[in-house]
Every structure is written in C-alpha cells, then in structure tokens.
Amino acid sequence: MRLKIHHSTRYRYDAPATDVIQALRLSPSNHDGQHIIAWRIDADIDGSFRESIDAFGNAVTMFYADGPTSDVTITVTGEAEITDTAGIVRAPETLPPAVYLRQTTLTAPDPAIGALAKRFADREPLAALHALCGALFNEMRFEVGATTARTSAAEALIAGHGVCQDFAHIFVSAARTLGVPARYVSGHLARTTPQGAAHAWAEALVPGLGWVAFDPANGICATTSYLRVAIGLDYRDAAPLRGARRGGGGEMLSVTVDASDAMRQSQN
C-alpha cells in the first residue's frame, strides 16, 4: 500500500512566546517493508531546522523559531510504500534488547498489570502476546478525552478506558512483566477520515521471529496500513512533538492527521 500523510499541528498562545523550540519526531525511516518516497516538514513562521538521530535511532528535527510568536503550525507531508511483513519489523537496531525490559513512570506495573500478565504466563511468547493484545482490545474501552499524555498504564487499566497511547503502554508494561522486551511505537494508521492525533502501538521481541508489531487498540498486528515513525520506552521517547518556550501564557493545541491510501485517492 502507498500511504499519503498530511499531519498538521498548531500551537496558539495567549501572548507572544519567545525562545520557542520544538523537538519533532515526525520523520519515518526506511526498513524492510517500509520505503519512504517523499517527506517534508515545514513551519509557517521563520525559524531554523537541525537534524539528528536519538539513542533509539529515531530521526529528530529540532525547530527554533526566529522571534516571538503567538501562533505556529508545523506541517508534515509525505508518501511511503508499505509492503506486507506479517507484522514482523526488521529495522536497524541501536540498542540491545534488554533495554526494552526497563519500566518507566508511564509503564510501571501495579498489581492489576501483574494480574493481567499472569493470565498469559503459561503460554509460549507469541501466543501470550496475541492473547494480551486481544484481551486489551476486548476488555478496554477506547475513549477520547478520558486520559492525558501523563496517564500511566496502571491508571488507564484501572479506569478501563483510554486511547491508543494507553493501550500501547499497558501492552508494553504487561509484556515486560512477562520478561519480553517491548517498546512503544508512534506513527500513522491509514483511515477513511482525518483524525485528531497520530496513532500508537507496540512492538515485542519474539524468540525466533524478531520484533513483532501489535496494535491492542485494534486487536491486530500491524498491516500495510501502518507507517512506523518513532520508537521508545514509552510515549515520551517517541512523542511526535515536544517543546519548550518562554512566556506566552496559556496554550491551545490542535492536531489534524490525514493518513490514507494514496492509490485510492488517485482513483476518486
């Protein structure tokens, strides 16, 4: 499938903010099953961009605004060709697998996550991970606005609802509790209508197969509809945008993501 992406993020401040800096993890990389045809990041105000690679191998674009601003929009446009790998991810690795056994503030397990993991502890790893993915899809309620970027896996599981970020955090936490290296993934999922956020899922290291992508929010492994952008121990490592500023007062954030099948668009 050829995916076409248009991702727009707008920040509006109550007053002009100075020293606006944004760390953008918005650029995917090539690997088996994923080929980037074209990709571009733009800002609607004057500023400079600097490219780097972080410890996880993610492409990071730093944006530095030239002067005070009360309104800035970061726009991403691109196309990528995705081929079927049955959910198996073969991408360059910069860190040893053991790193992905580390729990974080957002993934720290509590007794409820421990009990969730224990339900599948007697199964071989791949079967356990599929069962975990299916259980979260069937037993958790997807609800926009019920959680925030600071909600932990434990909090979301007890509440019984959340968004894709929460489903991914719970999956990662439970997988690590089972002794399986797991990581958080941010990216895009092709849909028929624009969305108000990017997508998130998880990858787990299965003996004999390698890294496998699981999307517990949809109860499936990743397909050709998924574009992988960034990875990390949790959301904070792979967040599409994280920034800092001086002043500006209150902030309003709006996001629009249109990820769709480019070939279907061309036939309409």
Side-chain angles (χ1 to χ4, degrees):
M1 179 183 289
R2 179 172 291 192
L3 296 185
K4 188 172 184 178
I5 307 297
H6 186 276
H7 181 181
S8 177
T9 305
R10 183 182 183 186
Y11 290 92
R12 285 175 287 174
Y13 310 119
D14 290 342
T18 60
D19 299 327
V20 173
I21 302 173
Q22 291 286 335
L24 315 174
R25 287 174 174 81
L26 295 169
S27 298
S29 58
N30 293 315
H31 58 77
D32 285 1
Q34 178 169 297
H35 172 65
I36 310 307
I37 298 168
W39 206 263
R40 182 181 177 90
I41 299 177
D42 291 298
D44 66 344
I45 62 172
D46 291 337
S48 58
F49 292 94
R50 187 178 69 194
E51 308 290 338
S52 65
I53 302 295
D54 69 12
F56 297 99
N58 301 319
V60 181
T61 303
M62 298 298 300
F63 173 70
Y64 304 88
D66 281 351
T69 183
S70 56
D71 196 323
V72 56
T73 300
I74 305 293
T75 303
V76 178
T77 54
E79 287 194 26
E81 187 73 34
I82 312 298
T83 55
D84 186 19
T85 61
I88 299 171
V89 180
R90 297 186 180 93
E93 298 292 338
T94 61
L95 297 171
V99 169
Y100 297 103
L101 287 169
R102 297 177 185 171
Q103 300 284 17
T104 69
T105 302
L106 290 175
T107 67
D110 70 346
I113 288 179
L116 173 67
K118 188 176 180 180
R119 290 165 54 184
F120 314 110
D122 61 345
R123 309 188 191 192
E124 58 90 15
L126 182 59
L129 293 165
H130 276 298
L132 172 60
C133 182
L136 292 177
F137 174 70
N138 290 316
E139 299 169 19
M140 288 279 292
R141 185 173 73 255
F142 193 95
E143 186 173 344
V144 176
T147 56
T148 72
R150 297 181 296 276
T151 301
S152 70
E155 291 168 336
L157 181 60
I158 289 175
H161 55 218
V163 293
C164 55
Q165 171 184 304
D166 305 297
F167 282 73
H169 279 155
I170 297 168
F171 182 96
V172 164
S173 179
R176 291 173 184 163
T177 300
L178 290 169
V180 177
R183 59 197 181 195
Y184 182 97
V185 184
S186 67
H188 299 292
L189 170 59
R191 304 177 191 266
T192 57
T193 58
Q195 304 294 307
H199 195 50
W201 58 97
E203 293 173 357
L205 186 59
V206 179
L209 280 180
W211 289 97
V212 179
F214 295 89
D215 180 4
N218 287 294
I220 60 173
C221 286
T223 67
T224 56
S225 295
Y226 288 73
L227 176 62
R228 180 183 189 263
V229 176
I231 61 171
L233 295 178
D234 61 23
Y235 164 79
R236 290 169 180 158
D237 294 327
L241 295 91
R242 296 189 70 184
R245 58 185 167 90
R246 294 181 185 273
E251 173 184 290
M252 291 184 63
L253 172 66
S254 57
V255 179
T256 302
V257 179
D258 188 356
S260 56
D261 183 347
M263 300 307 294
R264 181 179 300 169
Q265 285 187 9
S266 67
Q267 294 168 3
N268 291 338

